[in-house]
Structure formats: structure tokens, C-alpha cells
Amino acid sequence: FNFQKFIVKRALKAGKYDIFADTGLGKTIMQLEWAHQVALHTKRPILILAPLAVTTQTIEEGDKFNIKVKRYKDFNGKGIYISNYEQLDNIDTDPFVGIVLDESSILKNFNGKYRTQIINTFVNTPYKLACTATPSPNDPMELGNHAQFLDVMSFNEMLAMYFIHDSSDTGLWRLKGHAVELFYEFVSTWSIMLNKPGD
């Protein structure tokens, strides 16, 4: 589809990017094509982290489009590899020039173990792609964690710049009135959100 090609080109140009796309819009093929192009360009391996239930499906989807995806246990230094998030402790991430987070909503929990481990592990990885369904526009935590993962801006910097504590509930944050348009312009520099191809 043309819209998928457009998104992949935009993500490749940026080097570090988020694709927030609703179910059924082809996030898997977009991330596979991105990984394939980065691997071709750099001649170095790419790692995809995904939920365990998705890994086999991703390998099969790659086969449909002639993009070979191998399990990390078969690592030989070239190509695209996949593993599940729970195996991150057992993966030598140093050889990988790029990382893809499939179902990157795993970053949503601000204090979560995987969130912190993922951000810290891939802080020096030059190419990063995160893919998940469209986040809630009222969830700054998820957007802030994605921005930090991509090295765009730290979570705390984003909150300080664009958000304020809700005075009725200090656990909630809301966009500053003057910053709404600026915030979404900022988000659009490192991500794309779509619910349907026409978006």
C-alpha cells in the first residue's frame, strides 16, 4: 500500500521513529521493511523485540514478503533477528545497529522493569523503531516514554515543557493550555498516528 511505503520512508529518513497505527494497518510489514532497509544500508544486524505470542507470526509474515527473520538463538551476525521481551537479559545487544519494539506499549508503565531496561539497553543504538496501536491522547506517560526511548527528549523534560499537574488530582497530568498545538507538533516530528489509511 502507498501509505505503508510513505510511513516506512519517513521512518527511515528519521532513523528513530514511532509508528502508532491501529489494528490491521500493517505495522508488522512496515517494521519488517524498515528493519530490512536498515540492515541493507548498514550491513549490520537488526533486533526485533516482541511479545512471545507474536514472534512466530512475525517470522511467517516476513516469509510472505521475502524478508528473512531468524530467531535470536540462531544469531550469526547478519540480518534480522527476533526475540521476546522476557529474553532481553539473555541477549547481547552490542552487535545490533537497530532495534524494533513490536507492541511498544510495553514502555507505557513509567516505573516498569521492562521500560527502564529497554531505554537503558538501547540508549546508544543508532536506529530505533517503535510500533504499537494508537495511544490515548490523554496518556502523556506513554508518549513521554516513547520520546525518551527514541532519544528525542526525556520523559521529565517533556512533562515540564508541555504539561502541568491537574490540581484536583496530583497523579494526573494535563497539557498546558498554550502548549496543546506545540505538543502535537513536537510529537509529529518523531512519530505518526493513524486509525485508517486516509489519516
Side-chain angles (χ1 to χ4, degrees), residues 51-105:
L52 180 59
V54 176
T55 56
T56 300
Q57 175 188 339
T58 302
I59 292 168
E60 291 170 354
E61 192 79 4
D63 288 342
K64 288 182 195 174
F65 292 92
N66 295 317
I67 298 174
K68 180 72 174 163
V69 180
K70 298 170 267 188
R71 296 186 188 280
Y72 175 73
K73 66 182 179 65
D74 300 322
F75 183 74
N76 68 4
K78 296 179 182 178
I80 302 169
Y81 297 86
I82 191 166
S83 190
N84 57 300
Y85 287 106
E86 293 79 10
Q87 290 299 313
L88 186 52
D89 285 333
N90 303 316
I91 297 172
D92 177 8
T93 58
D94 288 342
F96 293 100
V97 71
I99 176 67
V100 176
L101 301 183
D102 188 356
E103 301 299 342
S104 61
S105 56

Side-chain angles (χ1 to χ4, degrees), residues 61-179:
E61 192 79 4
D63 288 342
K64 288 182 195 174
F65 292 92
N66 295 317
I67 298 174
K68 180 72 174 163
V69 180
K70 298 170 267 188
R71 296 186 188 280
Y72 175 73
K73 66 182 179 65
D74 300 322
F75 183 74
N76 68 4
K78 296 179 182 178
I80 302 169
Y81 297 86
I82 191 166
S83 190
N84 57 300
Y85 287 106
E86 293 79 10
Q87 290 299 313
L88 186 52
D89 285 333
N90 303 316
I91 297 172
D92 177 8
T93 58
D94 288 342
F96 293 100
V97 71
I99 176 67
V100 176
L101 301 183
D102 188 356
E103 301 299 342
S104 61
S105 56
I106 197 165
L107 296 172
K108 186 173 185 173
N109 186 342
F110 177 68
N111 294 314
K113 173 191 169 197
Y114 289 121
R115 174 243 181 234
T116 303
Q117 183 181 16
I118 289 165
I119 289 172
N120 291 341
T121 299
F122 299 104
V123 71
N124 294 317
T125 304
Y127 293 91
K128 299 180 186 183
L129 182 69
C131 300
T132 193
T134 310
S136 166
N138 300 319
D139 192 351
M141 304 302 182
E142 185 169 1
L143 293 172
N145 289 337
H146 277 82
Q148 186 163 338
F149 167 71
L150 297 176
D151 311 312
V152 175
M153 181 181 286
S154 78
F155 177 86
N156 289 328
E157 288 172 319
M158 188 201 78
L159 286 181
M161 186 171 292
Y162 298 106
F163 289 85
I164 190 165
H165 268 119
D166 188 321
S167 58
S168 63
D169 183 347
T170 57
L172 295 177
W173 292 83
R174 62 179 170 79
L175 279 165
K176 296 174 182 175
H178 69 279

